[in-house]
Amino acid sequence: MPVLTVKGTDLREALVHARKALGDHAVVVSRMDTPSGTVIAVAPEVPRSPQALEALRHEARRLIGRPQAHATLAGTREVERCLSRAGASRKLLERTCEAVAGRLSEGAHPLDLAAEELSVAFPVAQLKRRRGAKVVLALLGTAGAGKSTTAAKLAGRMQASGRTTALVTIDLDRPGARAQASSNGRTMGVPVAPARDAARVARLFEAEPSLECVVLDMTGRSEHDLEQLEALRAALLQSEVDVDLTVLAALPMTSSRQAQERFLGRIAPASVDAVVVTKTDECDVPAPTLELCSERRLPIAFLSNGRDLATDLRRASGEGLANLVLRRRVA
Ligand SMILES: Nc1nc2c(ncn2[C@@H]2O[C@H](COP(=O)(O)OP(=O)(O)OP(=O)(O)O)[C@@H](O)[C@H]2O)c(=O)[nH]1
Ligand SMILES: [Mg+2]
């Protein structure tokens, strides 16, 4: 197998030249940094046997003199394997491996380097709060996405952070929905208010001055929920009470990419502020959902990683998302 040496002002540029010269399957066999840039020895594909690898390393040593080959190959391979298992796109995989290859000389473990790179790969929601303003968190999602479960978890979290909170559900027609809401409210120690119209939330704040936060659980029928959100926005605008409405989309990691895209398309008019990725515990390929959020510039606010209302909700963070991709665990 021929070995080629390629130069660049830095590793990234050298890799771009290498890919142009040898194609997408080119692998870095060895690397040398010089004051004027980076020289890499590249082979057209991954060697098939240890003997072939040794021959490549030998040839690379002859060409550029520094035996970093095995470490580079082995290091990025481990990252590549992990990302492939997580369902990462070719683009994310290449970007991460290139960045890791460029940092191997730092001496850190390649997976830790990959975790650092991935911790800035996905958007994390800031959810800034205005002092003195009351809050509505409204949950959109398809049927069974985990809206009610997440709403209860969020209500419990808001209550625990010291805000007087109510759980409001407009999902009243589905059999069992009211009972589920009451039971969830009891578990979280949060009062539940059923309401036919979301606009009633504005009146709740007016009638109950001590109320600071409402978590609004919706029906899962997108068209109906969009109308309800519009009515709520209008009612809040007219109200004298100062309330910030945050629209959250519950996006199950277990849904197909097509289903996720269809849902996000349908609810686009609602101006979603952030995503709650649900059912992370039931999915072995976390990367596509996170990449979709990234492509759509939809920041991720929370991760729901199980059915337990008290324990299974995490605030999203760069490290947490990287951990999810590399180790299938939320931090
Ligand atoms: N494993 C797992 N199960 C979850 C998670 N979130 C919700 N579930 C389960 O998914 C099922 C549906 O959850 P719900 O919260 O009722 O979903 P929903 O979107 O309100 O459903 P509808 O109101 O019927 O549209 C229930 O069995 C939940 O226990 C999660 O993060 N992980
Ligand atoms: Mg529900």
Side-chain angles (χ1 to χ4, degrees), residues 289-303:
T289 304
L290 305 184
E291 287 192 70
L292 178 61
C293 292
S294 190
E295 283 161 30
R296 298 284 178 111
R297 296 189 204 293
L298 278 174
I300 300 164
F302 294 95
L303 302 170

Side-chain angles (χ1 to χ4, degrees), residues 15 39 67 71 73 130 138 176 274 304:
L15 286 167
V39 184
L73 212 54
R130 271 189 314 118
S304 167

Side-chain angles (χ1 to χ4, degrees), residues 215-269:
V215 181
L216 178 63
D217 183 18
M218 308 196 82
T219 66
R221 288 178 280 124
S222 300
E223 221 166 280
H224 177 74
D225 288 348
L226 290 183
E227 280 168 17
Q228 289 291 316
L229 270 183
E230 269 318 297
L232 173 57
R233 270 191 219 280
L236 290 174
L237 268 179
Q238 279 173 9
S239 169
E240 304 222 315
V241 185
D242 186 12
V243 183
D244 279 338
L245 170 64
T246 298
V247 179
L248 298 171
L251 192 64
M253 217 169 223
T254 43
S255 292
S256 69
R257 165 102 184 187
Q258 290 92 319
Q260 291 175 341
E261 285 187 333
R262 260 200 316 274
F263 163 63
L264 292 178
R266 271 202 311 270
I267 61 162

Side-chain angles (χ1 to χ4, degrees), residues 10-277:
D10 57 13
L11 178 70
R12 203 171 284 269
E13 191 183 302
L15 286 167
V16 170
H17 292 324
R19 193 175 304 135
K20 258 193 211 139
L22 289 180
D24 281 349
H25 298 293
V27 288
V28 177
V29 184
S30 189
R31 164 186 173 185
M32 183 169 66
D33 292 312
T34 68
S36 62
T38 298
V39 184
I40 51 177
V42 277
E45 59 186 24
V46 177
R48 297 231 161 73
S49 66
Q51 290 82 357
L53 172 64
E54 192 44 48
L56 277 186
R57 290 171 63 196
H58 182 78
E59 178 64 2
R61 260 199 302 276
R62 192 181 69 73
L63 288 169
I64 67 171
R66 268 257 301 265
Q68 278 187 345
H70 194 64
T72 306
L73 212 54
T76 53
R77 268 227 202 111
E78 197 174 352
V79 173
E80 192 174 335
R81 238 190 333 262
C82 248
L83 286 175
S84 298
R85 242 185 287 137
S89 67
R90 180 134 202 100
K91 194 166 153 207
L92 179 64
L93 198 146
E94 283 183 0
R95 185 153 42 97
T96 311
C97 285
E98 283 177 14
V100 168
R103 295 181 54 192
L104 280 177
S105 57
E106 292 173 18
H109 192 286
L111 285 177
D112 290 338
L113 292 173
E116 269 184 45
E117 297 296 329
L118 289 170
S119 72
V120 290
F122 310 110
V124 173
Q126 294 304 325
L127 297 185
K128 290 204 180 78
R129 308 249 179 269
R130 271 189 314 118
R131 203 182 155 87
K134 309 201 176 212
V135 177
V136 178
L137 302 177
L139 271 155
L140 289 171
T142 51
K147 298 178 297 297
S148 302
T149 305
T150 305
K153 291 173 179 175
L154 285 170
R157 196 182 174 100
M158 296 304 272
Q159 181 100 300
S161 75
R163 291 162 208 260
T164 308
T165 302
L167 183 56
V168 174
T169 176
I170 60 163
D171 187 17
L172 303 178
D173 296 333
R174 193 173 51 78
R178 280 174 192 248
Q180 182 192 22
S182 310
S183 156
N184 285 351
R186 259 196 315 278
T187 306
M188 302 313 286
V190 175
V192 175
R196 259 220 185 266
D197 305 310
R200 232 195 100 205
V201 168
R203 295 198 286 282
L204 269 185
F205 282 116
E206 286 158 5
E208 196 58 66
S210 63
L211 183 64
E212 292 170 295
C213 171
V214 164
V215 181
L216 178 63
D217 183 18
M218 308 196 82
T219 66
R221 288 178 280 124
S222 300
E223 221 166 280
H224 177 74
D225 288 348
L226 290 183
E227 280 168 17
Q228 289 291 316
L229 270 183
E230 269 318 297
L232 173 57
R233 270 191 219 280
L236 290 174
L237 268 179
Q238 279 173 9
S239 169
E240 304 222 315
V241 185
D242 186 12
V243 183
D244 279 338
L245 170 64
T246 298
V247 179
L248 298 171
L251 192 64
M253 217 169 223
T254 43
S255 292
S256 69
R257 165 102 184 187
Q258 290 92 319
Q260 291 175 341
E261 285 187 333
R262 260 200 316 274
F263 163 63
L264 292 178
R266 271 202 311 270
I267 61 162
S271 308
V272 169
D273 294 290
V275 168
V276 180
V277 181

